[in-house]
Amino acid sequence: MNIEEFKENVKMRKPLNTESILQFMTEMSNEARRITFRLNASFHTPEEVRALLSELFGYRVPESLRVFPPFYTDFGKNISVGEDVFINACCHFQDHGGVTIGDGCQIGHNVVFATLNHELAPEMRKFTHPAPIVLEKNVWIGSNATILPGVTIGENAVIAAGAVVTKDVKANTIVGGVPAKIIKSI
C-alpha cells in the first residue's frame, strides 16, 4: 500500500479494514508522530514550523500559513491547506479521511477534526470508515470546536467555540451548540 492507493480507497469511503491498510496506517502514524514530536518539542521560527509541516503533509505548504504549535495529527499526509490560513495551538487533526482547509480560514485553539468513524457492532469496532472534512474559504472555527467526519463548512461560515458539528454548514451561517445548530446568517 502507498499513499496514492490509500487516498483512492478513502475517496471511495471504503472501510479501512484490510491488513495492508491497517499496517500502512500504523506506519504513517509512526511517521507523523516522529515529525510532530520534533515540531512540538521546542521553539521554532515560523519558517521552521512551515518546513516541518511541509515534511509532515508531504508537500510545500504556503508561505502565508501560520501555525502555533503544539499541533497534533495521527496521519499527516491527507491535509490540504490554502493561502492565508491560521491554525492556533493544540489542534488535533485526525486526517486519514482527508482535511481540506480553504484560503483565509481561521482555526481556534484546541479544535478537533475527526475524519474516521467506527463500526457500531462491538466485534467490528476496530474497523473505521473515512469521510473528509472540507472548510471552504474564510471559515472561522472557534476554540474547542469539534468537526465530525463528512462535514463541509461553507464559505464565510462561523463555528462557535465549543460546538460539535455533525452536519454540513451553509455558507454565511453561524452555528453553535452540541450538536451545532444555526444561530443566524451573516
Side-chain angles (χ1 to χ4, degrees):
M1 166 108 351
N2 62 40
I3 191 68
E4 291 79 22
E5 292 169 335
F6 181 83
K7 285 182 178 181
E8 195 57 40
N9 196 63
V10 166
K11 280 182 190 174
M12 294 184 287
R13 296 193 183 191
K14 288 184 177 180
L16 305 177
N17 62 1
T18 68
E19 193 60 40
S20 65
I21 289 173
L22 296 174
Q23 180 181 347
F24 180 75
M25 289 171 64
T26 298
E27 292 167 6
M28 296 305 293
S29 292
N30 288 339
E31 179 182 333
R33 283 198 314 273
R34 278 191 292 277
I35 297 167
T36 57
F37 286 3
R38 288 180 13 230
L39 173 66
N40 299 331
S42 64
F43 173 80
H44 298 283
T45 66
E47 295 79 16
E48 292 168 334
V49 169
R50 285 190 298 275
L52 286 163
L53 291 172
S54 293
E55 182 182 350
L56 179 62
F57 296 174
Y59 65 92
R60 186 180 166 123
V61 300
E63 288 188 27
S64 60
L65 173 64
R66 291 186 317 135
V67 175
F68 289 176
F71 174 83
Y72 305 97
T73 184
D74 58 357
F75 191 70
K77 299 291 190 261
N78 209 359
I79 300 171
S80 175
V81 179
E83 295 287 340
D84 298 314
V85 168
F86 173 71
I87 302 171
N88 214 328
C90 299
C91 289
H92 296 252
F93 285 28
Q94 180 196 57
D95 66 292
H96 290 84
V99 173
T100 300
I101 302 172
D103 295 343
C105 289
Q106 306 275 321
I107 300 171
H109 65 274
N110 291 322
V111 168
V112 173
F113 290 122
T115 65
L116 294 178
N117 214 342
H118 291 270
E119 293 274 352
L120 289 177
E123 65 277 5
M124 300 294 288
R125 204 164 283 158
K126 70 178 181 177
F127 301 123
T128 56
H129 295 268
I133 293 171
V134 176
L135 277 58
E136 294 179 353
K137 289 181 180 181
N138 300 317
V139 169
W140 174 19
I141 309 279
S143 298
N144 296 300
T146 299
I147 314 301
L148 295 181
V151 168
T152 295
I153 301 174
E155 189 170 330
N156 302 319
V158 176
I159 309 302
V164 176
V165 183
T166 61
K167 298 177 184 172
D168 290 353
V169 176
K170 292 180 183 179
N172 303 303
T173 303
I174 300 172
V175 301
V178 179
K181 293 183 173 40
I182 296 173
I183 295 173
K184 68 178 183 175
S185 294
I186 299 173

